[in-house]
Amino acid sequence: MSNLQLQYDSLLSHYSNPLEAIALLREYRPYFELIPSLRRPIDSLISIPLPVVQFTSPNLTQSHVQMQCDLALIMCDPDWKVKTGQEIFVFIHRPNEDYSALLQRWRQVEVALGEEYYWLLPWKHRSIISDRGEYHYPLFVTLDYSPARITKGLEGASLPHVKVASPEIESPDIEENQEDPVCDSTQ
């Protein structure tokens, strides 16, 4: 795997943690202010990496579709445990992805959001009503490897974006590549 791909994967895994996703939103203040409660941040935001939605319209050819964003950040009221209707879609610039391809991913998400859909939420959040949000916000993330034309294009199109430092890449662990034995609790 190339070093750039490792940086992308490290950032994706980093922002899969809701607390780290909040740190990302801190870089773009208008979205940071959407978080319902900073006293209970874990209960205020659901971070879904490579999200999937289920469409409810019977005339569509696919009922489940993976959104073309890297993360979906869903705001929740921590007291009532319900979605607030505000959804942020994070697009991390991928290695060797050009400006047009990055924008195309956002446009595909916009088209999908025009349909009635339900989120396929992580198991931990299965009790939250997962219907579509009312407000959709894109956030583009660039890294050190991102060409200047990407940032220039995002600024020219007035699209919200942040530039983050490339994450530290952990050295591969020898044990990480070995398979763990499967433990069957029924035996």
Side-chain angles (χ1 to χ4, degrees):
M1 189 180 297
S2 75
N3 191 33
L4 300 180
Q5 185 65 37
L6 283 173
Q7 289 179 9
Y8 166 80
D9 283 336
S10 295
L11 207 58
L12 179 61
S13 66
H14 189 68
Y15 293 137
S16 295
N17 178 335
L19 293 176
E20 300 299 338
I22 288 172
L24 172 65
L25 296 181
R26 193 178 305 258
E27 299 296 317
Y28 191 74
R29 187 153 185 93
Y31 290 177
F32 180 69
E33 293 173 355
L34 295 175
I35 300 170
S37 172
L38 291 176
R39 291 183 188 158
R40 295 174 37 195
I42 286 290
D43 297 328
S44 295
L45 183 129
I46 300 172
S47 178
I48 308 173
L50 305 175
V52 175
V53 294
Q54 178 180 0
F55 292 118
T56 58
S57 180
N59 59 354
L60 295 174
T61 57
Q62 291 181 312
S63 63
H64 291 77
V65 173
Q66 180 180 345
M67 302 298 270
Q68 293 300 310
C69 61
D70 299 295
L71 289 161
L73 304 177
I74 300 172
M75 304 299 158
C76 296
D77 182 299
D79 295 322
W80 293 96
K81 305 249 189 270
V82 295
K83 291 170 57 268
T84 63
Q86 298 169 330
E87 301 169 347
I88 299 172
F89 297 90
V90 178
F91 299 88
I92 302 171
H93 177 243
R94 296 174 178 168
N96 302 318
E97 182 178 44
D98 208 358
Y99 177 65
S100 60
L102 182 62
L103 282 186
Q104 183 65 31
R105 288 198 292 137
W106 165 235
R107 297 303 180 207
Q108 289 173 350
V109 168
E110 280 186 313
V111 169
L113 296 176
E115 301 292 332
E116 287 294 322
Y117 63 89
Y118 289 92
W119 287 102
L120 297 182
L121 294 174
W123 183 252
K124 176 183 175 183
H125 304 289
R126 68 188 177 281
S127 62
I128 294 176
I129 296 174
S130 63
D131 58 342
R132 65 179 282 161
E134 298 166 8
Y135 303 102
H136 308 111
Y137 305 99
L139 180 62
F140 296 89
V141 177
T142 58
L143 292 98
D144 294 337
Y145 64 71
S146 301
R149 68 180 176 274
I150 302 278
T151 304
K152 184 178 179 180
L154 293 170
E155 287 173 359
S158 299
L159 290 169
H161 65 282
V162 296
K163 182 170 185 167
V164 297
S166 295
E168 283 188 31
I169 299 186
E170 300 173 10
S171 60
D173 190 4
I174 296 172
E175 294 178 9
E176 186 176 295
N177 295 329
Q178 296 177 357
E179 288 187 34
D180 292 333
V182 177
C183 297
D184 186 4
S185 61
T186 60
Q187 293 181 351

